[in-house]
Amino acid sequence: MSRLRRFAVLAAAAVIPALGLTLAGTTQASAAPNFQVPFKCGVTVTAATFSGHSPANSVDFQKSGITGMPVLASAGGTVTRVANEGSTSYGRWVEIDHGSGWRTRYAHLSTQSVSVGQAVSLGKQIGTAGATGGVTGPHLHFEQRLNGVAQKVVLHGVAVPYYGHTNFTSKNSCGGNPYSATEVCGSGFSVVDSQALANGSGTAYLLYNASTKANCVTTLKAVSLGTASPVSAFLEVQGSARVTDSGSFTYYAGPVKKTAAATCVKWGGSVGSNTYESPFEHCG
């Protein structure tokens, strides 16, 4: 799981305090928004990728009966293009600027419902899917572009496989944190413990990878989602320095990973002033 999608504009700088190592993410100008599937919450679509697609790294969303389905903004931003190429190319299409060089494009729309210069939030309907332009059948052509170049698409923190057909169920505007602890820590990790933080502010998770003997800690926010606010996660292997990821993040802190086979660990995290710190445990 790439950490770029949860960095805030004012992420904390890395510091090394006397009692342990703190790793805080620094912002990069190209940090991507947490792009979502551009359909209503709960809708399952097939993300089709194939060699020779123009431009490269585009995704075609396919679904039986897709014509007329609402197409939603994949992230908040400002509409920069509302165009109609007729029976060629994109047909009816919309482009949204998300800042930091990131834009998304939505093509072959049957209708468009936004205008240039309009500010749109995540989940705002921008049109309906269709088959306008140079197509052989209805679908939604989708691009995530950085500084004018189409990138490999990532949806709610999950990279779309290239090349093939993969089903994705939309989490767009479903409410709640769009990330899971296993998505943050990555393949092979399973949750072994968790602790809800006070005031319903979030949850700290401890995960373990049985193959690599690595531990992973992440803290997922449940408040101020999508807005930068203080959150942290830490992991301390007994006999070693504590590692902490701390800063103003939009969805989660971490992942913090350390190998600790047959060694006790102390773990925890915080959201705002609500904190949790475990004793040394999980020693097997």
Side-chain angles (χ1 to χ4, degrees):
M1 163 66 68
S2 169
R3 295 171 60 211
L4 292 179
R5 277 167 291 285
R6 52 92 184 180
F7 286 156
V9 174
L10 298 176
V15 297
I16 303 178
L19 298 180
L21 176 67
T22 297
L23 300 176
T26 55
T27 301
Q28 300 186 14
S30 61
N34 181 30
F35 290 119
Q36 300 293 299
V37 176
F39 292 93
K40 286 187 174 181
C41 175
V43 171
T44 298
V45 289
T46 299
T49 57
F50 52 89
S51 178
H53 205 168
S54 180
N57 300 327
S58 304
V59 167
D60 282 351
F61 287 111
Q62 303 171 346
K63 183 179 178 64
S64 177
I66 196 172
T67 299
M69 285 180 54
V71 173
L72 313 183
S74 184
T78 302
V79 177
T80 51
R81 292 290 298 272
V82 179
N84 185 357
E85 311 293 342
S87 60
T88 64
S89 185
Y90 287 160
R92 293 183 178 273
W93 64 286
V94 169
E95 180 183 76
I96 301 174
D97 184 353
H98 307 284
S100 299
W102 285 97
R103 297 190 178 199
T104 50
R105 289 184 176 183
Y106 313 75
H108 310 312
L109 301 171
S110 58
T111 64
Q112 297 145 297
S113 54
V114 290
S115 56
V116 172
Q118 180 178 342
V120 294
S121 58
L122 169 66
K124 168 69 176 178
Q125 182 171 336
I126 62 173
T128 56
T132 60
V135 299
T136 57
H139 65 275
L140 175 69
H141 175 97
F142 178 73
E143 302 171 26
Q144 292 174 355
R145 302 172 70 90
L146 176 61
N147 297 325
V149 179
Q151 307 294 303
K152 288 190 173 181
V153 170
V154 176
L155 300 168
H156 57 75
V158 178
V160 174
Y162 287 77
Y163 297 100
H165 291 68
T166 308
N167 287 343
F168 280 83
T169 299
S170 177
K171 299 181 181 180
N172 198 326
S173 301
C174 291
N177 196 313
Y179 291 101
S180 69
T182 52
E183 286 176 341
V184 174
C185 287
S187 177
F189 282 93
S190 299
V191 175
V192 295
D193 206 345
S194 64
Q195 177 64 48
L197 302 178
N199 301 315
S201 57
T203 303
Y205 293 89
L206 174 67
L207 297 86
Y208 185 68
N209 187 317
S211 297
T212 63
K213 312 301 180 186
N215 295 267
C216 179
V217 176
T218 181
T219 302
L220 303 186
K221 295 168 54 178
V223 295
S224 301
L225 295 172
T227 301
S229 64
V231 57
S232 70
F234 78 85
L235 176 61
E236 181 179 344
V237 177
Q238 196 163 28
S240 301
R242 176 177 296 192
V243 178
T244 301
D245 186 35
S246 177
S248 290
F249 302 133
T250 52
Y251 291 99
Y252 62 86
V256 179
K257 298 179 182 179
K258 293 195 75 174
T259 301
T263 307
C264 301
V265 297
K266 183 181 290 188
W267 61 281
S270 66
V271 175
S273 61
N274 304 301
T275 64
Y276 171 73
E277 181 170 324
S278 79
F280 281 111
E281 57 185 6
H282 299 289
C283 304

